[in-house]
PDB file of all heavy atoms in Angstrom:
ATOM      1  N   LEU U   6     156.149 286.707  52.760  1.00 98.00           N
ATOM      2  CA  LEU U   6     156.836 287.525  51.773  1.00 98.00           C
ATOM      3  C   LEU U   6     157.965 288.294  52.434  1.00 98.00           C
ATOM      4  O   LEU U   6     157.932 288.581  53.625  1.00 98.00           O
ATOM      5  CB  LEU U   6     155.858 288.462  51.056  1.00 98.00           C
ATOM      6  CG  LEU U   6     154.915 289.314  51.894  1.00 98.00           C
ATOM      7  CD1 LEU U   6     155.508 290.689  52.135  1.00 98.00           C
ATOM      8  CD2 LEU U   6     153.567 289.450  51.204  1.00 98.00           C
ATOM      9  N   ASP U   7     158.974 288.608  51.624  1.00 98.00           N
ATOM     10  CA  ASP U   7     160.140 289.320  52.142  1.00 98.00           C
ATOM     11  C   ASP U   7     160.764 290.148  51.028  1.00 98.00           C
ATOM     12  O   ASP U   7     160.933 289.668  49.907  1.00 98.00           O
ATOM     13  CB  ASP U   7     161.179 288.327  52.683  1.00 98.00           C
ATOM     14  CG  ASP U   7     162.237 288.993  53.549  1.00 98.00           C
ATOM     15  OD1 ASP U   7     162.996 289.826  53.006  1.00 98.00           O
ATOM     16  OD2 ASP U   7     162.323 288.686  54.753  1.00 98.00           O
ATOM     17  N   THR U   8     161.114 291.397  51.378  1.00 97.00           N
ATOM     18  CA  THR U   8     161.809 292.281  50.430  1.00 97.00           C
ATOM     19  C   THR U   8     162.991 292.971  51.107  1.00 97.00           C
ATOM     20  O   THR U   8     163.400 294.050  50.693  1.00 97.00           O
ATOM     21  CB  THR U   8     160.844 293.346  49.868  1.00 97.00           C
ATOM     22  OG1 THR U   8     160.295 294.112  50.948  1.00 97.00           O
ATOM     23  CG2 THR U   8     159.724 292.713  49.054  1.00 97.00           C
ATOM     24  N   ALA U   9     163.551 292.353  52.142  1.00 96.00           N
ATOM     25  CA  ALA U   9     164.650 292.977  52.881  1.00 96.00           C
ATOM     26  C   ALA U   9     166.002 292.816  52.202  1.00 96.00           C
ATOM     27  O   ALA U   9     166.962 293.489  52.579  1.00 96.00           O
ATOM     28  CB  ALA U   9     164.719 292.396  54.296  1.00 96.00           C
ATOM     29  N   THR U  10     166.092 291.905  51.232  1.00 95.00           N
ATOM     30  CA  THR U  10     167.326 291.682  50.475  1.00 95.00           C
ATOM     31  C   THR U  10     167.002 291.888  48.999  1.00 95.00           C
ATOM     32  O   THR U  10     165.854 292.187  48.654  1.00 95.00           O
ATOM     33  CB  THR U  10     167.864 290.257  50.714  1.00 95.00           C
ATOM     34  OG1 THR U  10     167.062 289.325  49.979  1.00 95.00           O
ATOM     35  CG2 THR U  10     167.875 289.900  52.197  1.00 95.00           C
ATOM     36  N   VAL U  62     155.872 288.241  57.351  1.00 98.00           N
ATOM     37  CA  VAL U  62     156.694 289.169  56.582  1.00 98.00           C
ATOM     38  C   VAL U  62     158.072 289.300  57.214  1.00 98.00           C
ATOM     39  O   VAL U  62     158.203 289.345  58.439  1.00 98.00           O
ATOM     40  CB  VAL U  62     156.010 290.553  56.476  1.00 98.00           C
ATOM     41  CG1 VAL U  62     155.798 291.187  57.839  1.00 98.00           C
ATOM     42  CG2 VAL U  62     156.796 291.483  55.555  1.00 98.00           C
ATOM     43  N   GLY U  63     159.075 289.345  56.374  1.00 98.00           N
ATOM     44  CA  GLY U  63     160.424 289.617  56.839  1.00 98.00           C
ATOM     45  C   GLY U  63     160.545 291.057  57.280  1.00 98.00           C
ATOM     46  O   GLY U  63     160.280 291.987  56.509  1.00 98.00           O
ATOM     47  N   ALA U  64     160.943 291.268  58.534  1.00 98.00           N
ATOM     48  CA  ALA U  64     161.029 292.616  59.097  1.00 98.00           C
ATOM     49  C   ALA U  64     162.420 293.219  58.952  1.00 98.00           C
ATOM     50  O   ALA U  64     162.677 294.298  59.470  1.00 98.00           O
ATOM     51  CB  ALA U  64     160.625 292.595  60.563  1.00 98.00           C
ATOM     52  N   GLY U  65     163.309 292.537  58.231  1.00 96.00           N
ATOM     53  CA  GLY U  65     164.657 293.026  58.062  1.00 96.00           C
ATOM     54  C   GLY U  65     165.592 292.461  59.101  1.00 96.00           C
ATOM     55  O   GLY U  65     165.273 291.448  59.734  1.00 96.00           O
ATOM     56  N   PRO U  66     166.722 293.097  59.297  1.00 97.00           N
ATOM     57  CA  PRO U  66     167.117 294.412  58.775  1.00 97.00           C
ATOM     58  C   PRO U  66     167.337 294.405  57.263  1.00 97.00           C
ATOM     59  O   PRO U  66     167.660 293.383  56.676  1.00 97.00           O
ATOM     60  CB  PRO U  66     168.421 294.704  59.522  1.00 97.00           C
ATOM     61  CG  PRO U  66     168.971 293.339  59.839  1.00 97.00           C
ATOM     62  CD  PRO U  66     167.788 292.482  60.111  1.00 97.00           C
ATOM     63  N   GLY U  67     167.159 295.600  56.680  1.00 93.00           N
ATOM     64  CA  GLY U  67     167.335 295.751  55.249  1.00 93.00           C
ATOM     65  C   GLY U  67     167.325 297.214  54.872  1.00 93.00           C
ATOM     66  O   GLY U  67     166.947 298.069  55.679  1.00 93.00           O
ATOM     67  N   LEU U  72     162.777 297.362  52.024  1.00 94.00           N
ATOM     68  CA  LEU U  72     162.163 296.765  53.205  1.00 94.00           C
ATOM     69  C   LEU U  72     160.738 297.258  53.405  1.00 94.00           C
ATOM     70  O   LEU U  72     159.834 296.480  53.746  1.00 94.00           O
ATOM     71  CB  LEU U  72     163.025 297.085  54.427  1.00 94.00           C
ATOM     72  CG  LEU U  72     162.567 296.540  55.776  1.00 94.00           C
ATOM     73  CD1 LEU U  72     162.403 295.030  55.737  1.00 94.00           C
ATOM     74  CD2 LEU U  72     163.572 296.942  56.859  1.00 94.00           C
ATOM     75  N   GLY U  92     155.679 289.430  62.074  1.00 98.00           N
ATOM     76  CA  GLY U  92     157.006 289.827  61.630  1.00 98.00           C
ATOM     77  C   GLY U  92     158.063 288.837  62.092  1.00 98.00           C
ATOM     78  O   GLY U  92     158.005 288.321  63.204  1.00 98.00           O
ATOM     79  N   VAL U  93     159.021 288.560  61.207  1.00 98.00           N
ATOM     80  CA  VAL U  93     160.132 287.660  61.514  1.00 98.00           C
ATOM     81  C   VAL U  93     161.419 288.331  61.049  1.00 98.00           C
ATOM     82  O   VAL U  93     161.463 288.898  59.941  1.00 98.00           O
ATOM     83  CB  VAL U  93     159.978 286.297  60.805  1.00 98.00           C
ATOM     84  CG1 VAL U  93     161.214 285.422  61.021  1.00 98.00           C
ATOM     85  CG2 VAL U  93     158.726 285.572  61.308  1.00 98.00           C
ATOM     86  N   CYS U  94     162.454 288.282  61.868  1.00 98.00           N
ATOM     87  CA  CYS U  94     163.752 288.812  61.452  1.00 98.00           C
ATOM     88  C   CYS U  94     164.233 288.061  60.213  1.00 98.00           C
ATOM     89  O   CYS U  94     164.282 286.826  60.191  1.00 98.00           O
ATOM     90  CB  CYS U  94     164.765 288.658  62.585  1.00 98.00           C
ATOM     91  SG  CYS U  94     166.453 289.113  62.143  1.00 98.00           S
ATOM     92  N   THR U  95     164.559 288.795  59.169  1.00 98.00           N
ATOM     93  CA  THR U  95     165.001 288.183  57.916  1.00 98.00           C
ATOM     94  C   THR U  95     166.243 287.327  58.110  1.00 98.00           C
ATOM     95  O   THR U  95     166.386 286.261  57.494  1.00 98.00           O
ATOM     96  CB  THR U  95     165.256 289.282  56.871  1.00 98.00           C
ATOM     97  OG1 THR U  95     164.019 289.965  56.606  1.00 98.00           O
ATOM     98  CG2 THR U  95     165.803 288.712  55.578  1.00 98.00           C
ATOM     99  N   LEU U  96     167.153 287.757  58.973  1.00 98.00           N
ATOM    100  CA  LEU U  96     168.359 286.968  59.227  1.00 98.00           C
ATOM    101  C   LEU U  96     168.001 285.617  59.845  1.00 98.00           C
ATOM    102  O   LEU U  96     168.658 284.605  59.563  1.00 98.00           O
ATOM    103  CB  LEU U  96     169.306 287.737  60.147  1.00 98.00           C
ATOM    104  CG  LEU U  96     169.793 289.104  59.660  1.00 98.00           C
ATOM    105  CD1 LEU U  96     170.734 289.722  60.689  1.00 98.00           C
ATOM    106  CD2 LEU U  96     170.469 289.007  58.305  1.00 98.00           C
ATOM    107  N   ASP U  97     166.948 285.578  60.673  1.00 98.00           N
ATOM    108  CA  ASP U  97     166.502 284.313  61.249  1.00 98.00           C
ATOM    109  C   ASP U  97     166.025 283.356  60.159  1.00 98.00           C
ATOM    110  O   ASP U  97     166.262 282.145  60.226  1.00 98.00           O
ATOM    111  CB  ASP U  97     165.369 284.546  62.242  1.00 98.00           C
ATOM    112  CG  ASP U  97     165.819 285.239  63.525  1.00 98.00           C
ATOM    113  OD1 ASP U  97     167.035 285.498  63.672  1.00 98.00           O
ATOM    114  OD2 ASP U  97     164.943 285.534  64.362  1.00 98.00           O
ATOM    115  N   ALA U  98     165.319 283.891  59.168  1.00 98.00           N
ATOM    116  CA  ALA U  98     164.830 283.051  58.073  1.00 98.00           C
ATOM    117  C   ALA U  98     165.986 282.508  57.246  1.00 98.00           C
ATOM    118  O   ALA U  98     165.949 281.356  56.779  1.00 98.00           O
ATOM    119  CB  ALA U  98     163.868 283.842  57.195  1.00 98.00           C
ATOM    120  N   ILE U  99     167.029 283.314  57.036  1.00 98.00           N
ATOM    121  CA  ILE U  99     168.198 282.831  56.295  1.00 98.00           C
ATOM    122  C   ILE U  99     168.917 281.754  57.099  1.00 98.00           C
ATOM    123  O   ILE U  99     169.359 280.729  56.546  1.00 98.00           O
ATOM    124  CB  ILE U  99     169.145 283.993  55.961  1.00 98.00           C
ATOM    125  CG1 ILE U  99     168.440 285.005  55.036  1.00 98.00           C
ATOM    126  CG2 ILE U  99     170.424 283.481  55.298  1.00 98.00           C
ATOM    127  CD1 ILE U  99     169.256 286.260  54.763  1.00 98.00           C
ATOM    128  N   ALA U 100     169.040 281.944  58.423  1.00 98.00           N
ATOM    129  CA  ALA U 100     169.658 280.928  59.275  1.00 98.00           C
ATOM    130  C   ALA U 100     168.868 279.627  59.230  1.00 98.00           C
ATOM    131  O   ALA U 100     169.446 278.532  59.167  1.00 98.00           O
ATOM    132  CB  ALA U 100     169.753 281.446  60.708  1.00 98.00           C
ATOM    133  N   TYR U 101     167.546 279.732  59.252  1.00 98.00           N
ATOM    134  CA  TYR U 101     166.695 278.546  59.181  1.00 98.00           C
ATOM    135  C   TYR U 101     166.900 277.821  57.847  1.00 98.00           C
ATOM    136  O   TYR U 101     167.009 276.586  57.808  1.00 98.00           O
ATOM    137  CB  TYR U 101     165.240 278.972  59.345  1.00 98.00           C
ATOM    138  CG  TYR U 101     164.243 277.842  59.362  1.00 98.00           C
ATOM    139  CD1 TYR U 101     163.969 277.154  60.542  1.00 98.00           C
ATOM    140  CD2 TYR U 101     163.571 277.479  58.208  1.00 98.00           C
ATOM    141  CE1 TYR U 101     163.042 276.124  60.566  1.00 98.00           C
ATOM    142  CE2 TYR U 101     162.639 276.446  58.217  1.00 98.00           C
ATOM    143  CZ  TYR U 101     162.384 275.769  59.391  1.00 98.00           C
ATOM    144  OH  TYR U 101     161.456 274.746  59.408  1.00 98.00           O
ATOM    145  N   VAL U 115     175.195 284.940  59.942  1.00 98.00           N
ATOM    146  CA  VAL U 115     174.400 285.341  58.775  1.00 98.00           C
ATOM    147  C   VAL U 115     174.686 286.812  58.515  1.00 98.00           C
ATOM    148  O   VAL U 115     174.647 287.630  59.440  1.00 98.00           O
ATOM    149  CB  VAL U 115     172.896 285.132  59.007  1.00 98.00           C
ATOM    150  CG1 VAL U 115     172.101 285.657  57.813  1.00 98.00           C
ATOM    151  CG2 VAL U 115     172.581 283.663  59.256  1.00 98.00           C
ATOM    152  N   THR U 117     173.947 289.988  55.505  1.00 97.00           N
ATOM    153  CA  THR U 117     173.383 290.481  54.254  1.00 97.00           C
ATOM    154  C   THR U 117     173.997 291.841  53.929  1.00 97.00           C
ATOM    155  O   THR U 117     174.575 292.500  54.787  1.00 97.00           O
ATOM    156  CB  THR U 117     171.844 290.609  54.341  1.00 97.00           C
ATOM    157  OG1 THR U 117     171.505 291.520  55.397  1.00 97.00           O
ATOM    158  CG2 THR U 117     171.212 289.260  54.618  1.00 97.00           C
ATOM    159  N   TYR U 129     174.647 282.918  65.279  1.00 97.00           N
ATOM    160  CA  TYR U 129     173.665 281.890  65.594  1.00 97.00           C
ATOM    161  C   TYR U 129     174.334 280.702  66.267  1.00 97.00           C
ATOM    162  O   TYR U 129     175.387 280.232  65.828  1.00 97.00           O
ATOM    163  CB  TYR U 129     172.929 281.434  64.326  1.00 97.00           C
ATOM    164  CG  TYR U 129     171.979 282.496  63.823  1.00 97.00           C
ATOM    165  CD1 TYR U 129     172.452 283.566  63.078  1.00 97.00           C
ATOM    166  CD2 TYR U 129     170.631 282.465  64.155  1.00 97.00           C
ATOM    167  CE1 TYR U 129     171.599 284.582  62.656  1.00 97.00           C
ATOM    168  CE2 TYR U 129     169.770 283.475  63.742  1.00 97.00           C
ATOM    169  CZ  TYR U 129     170.264 284.526  63.000  1.00 97.00           C
ATOM    170  OH  TYR U 129     169.415 285.525  62.602  1.00 97.00           O
ATOM    171  N   PRO U 139     170.459 291.582  65.984  1.00 97.00           N
ATOM    172  CA  PRO U 139     171.101 291.937  64.718  1.00 97.00           C
ATOM    173  C   PRO U 139     171.812 293.283  64.825  1.00 97.00           C
ATOM    174  O   PRO U 139     171.428 294.145  65.626  1.00 97.00           O
ATOM    175  CB  PRO U 139     169.919 292.024  63.738  1.00 97.00           C
ATOM    176  CG  PRO U 139     168.820 291.259  64.382  1.00 97.00           C
ATOM    177  CD  PRO U 139     169.007 291.420  65.852  1.00 97.00           C
ATOM    178  N   HIS U 176     170.445 284.617  49.654  1.00 95.00           N
ATOM    179  CA  HIS U 176     169.319 285.496  49.970  1.00 95.00           C
ATOM    180  C   HIS U 176     168.253 284.738  50.758  1.00 95.00           C
ATOM    181  O   HIS U 176     168.272 283.513  50.846  1.00 95.00           O
ATOM    182  CB  HIS U 176     168.702 286.060  48.690  1.00 95.00           C
ATOM    183  CG  HIS U 176     169.655 286.837  47.844  1.00 95.00           C
ATOM    184  ND1 HIS U 176     170.298 287.965  48.291  1.00 95.00           N
ATOM    185  CD2 HIS U 176     170.085 286.634  46.563  1.00 95.00           C
ATOM    186  CE1 HIS U 176     171.079 288.438  47.328  1.00 95.00           C
ATOM    187  NE2 HIS U 176     170.977 287.652  46.290  1.00 95.00           N
ATOM    188  N   VAL U 177     167.315 285.488  51.272  1.00 96.00           N
ATOM    189  CA  VAL U 177     166.221 284.899  52.032  1.00 96.00           C
ATOM    190  C   VAL U 177     165.260 284.172  51.097  1.00 96.00           C
ATOM    191  O   VAL U 177     165.076 284.565  49.932  1.00 96.00           O
ATOM    192  CB  VAL U 177     165.478 285.982  52.835  1.00 96.00           C
ATOM    193  CG1 VAL U 177     164.785 286.978  51.918  1.00 96.00           C
ATOM    194  CG2 VAL U 177     164.496 285.365  53.823  1.00 96.00           C
ATOM    195  N   SER U 178     164.657 283.120  51.592  1.00 96.00           N
ATOM    196  CA  SER U 178     163.638 282.357  50.876  1.00 96.00           C
ATOM    197  C   SER U 178     162.316 282.490  51.621  1.00 96.00           C
ATOM    198  O   SER U 178     162.249 282.229  52.829  1.00 96.00           O
ATOM    199  CB  SER U 178     164.053 280.877  50.800  1.00 96.00           C
ATOM    200  OG  SER U 178     162.931 280.021  50.686  1.00 96.00           O
ATOM    201  N   LEU U 182     160.991 281.191  55.302  1.00 98.00           N
ATOM    202  CA  LEU U 182     160.316 282.126  56.197  1.00 98.00           C
ATOM    203  C   LEU U 182     158.970 281.569  56.643  1.00 98.00           C
ATOM    204  O   LEU U 182     158.614 281.614  57.830  1.00 98.00           O
ATOM    205  CB  LEU U 182     160.136 283.466  55.481  1.00 98.00           C
ATOM    206  CG  LEU U 182     159.395 284.578  56.227  1.00 98.00           C
ATOM    207  CD1 LEU U 182     160.193 285.035  57.437  1.00 98.00           C
ATOM    208  CD2 LEU U 182     159.143 285.763  55.287  1.00 98.00           C
ATOM    209  N   LEU U 185     159.494 278.480  58.984  1.00 98.00           N
ATOM    210  CA  LEU U 185     159.911 278.925  60.316  1.00 98.00           C
ATOM    211  C   LEU U 185     158.718 279.495  61.080  1.00 98.00           C
ATOM    212  O   LEU U 185     158.519 279.195  62.270  1.00 98.00           O
ATOM    213  CB  LEU U 185     161.009 279.979  60.178  1.00 98.00           C
ATOM    214  CG  LEU U 185     161.461 280.676  61.469  1.00 98.00           C
ATOM    215  CD1 LEU U 185     161.969 279.669  62.495  1.00 98.00           C
ATOM    216  CD2 LEU U 185     162.532 281.722  61.161  1.00 98.00           C
ATOM    217  N   LEU U 197     157.862 289.281  65.856  1.00 97.00           N
ATOM    218  CA  LEU U 197     158.059 290.714  65.854  1.00 97.00           C
ATOM    219  C   LEU U 197     156.796 291.404  65.341  1.00 97.00           C
ATOM    220  O   LEU U 197     156.028 290.805  64.571  1.00 97.00           O
ATOM    221  CB  LEU U 197     159.227 291.089  64.942  1.00 97.00           C
ATOM    222  CG  LEU U 197     160.609 290.546  65.309  1.00 97.00           C
ATOM    223  CD1 LEU U 197     161.594 290.861  64.189  1.00 97.00           C
ATOM    224  CD2 LEU U 197     161.078 291.145  66.616  1.00 97.00           C
ATOM    225  N   LEU U 202     163.076 296.775  60.823  1.00 94.00           N
ATOM    226  CA  LEU U 202     164.340 296.815  61.554  1.00 94.00           C
ATOM    227  C   LEU U 202     165.360 297.515  60.656  1.00 94.00           C
ATOM    228  O   LEU U 202     166.038 296.885  59.851  1.00 94.00           O
ATOM    229  CB  LEU U 202     164.818 295.393  61.872  1.00 94.00           C
ATOM    230  CG  LEU U 202     163.998 294.581  62.862  1.00 94.00           C
ATOM    231  CD1 LEU U 202     164.508 293.146  62.907  1.00 94.00           C
ATOM    232  CD2 LEU U 202     164.070 295.207  64.247  1.00 94.00           C
TER     233      LEU U 202
END
Side-chain angles (χ1 to χ4, degrees):
L6 50 94
D7 195 296
T8 58
T10 75
V62 61
L72 181 56
V93 174
C94 174
T95 297
L96 301 181
D97 290 357
I99 297 174
Y101 183 84
V115 176
T117 60
Y129 288 80
H176 301 300
V177 65
S178 154
L182 178 66
L185 173 58
L197 298 172
L202 292 172

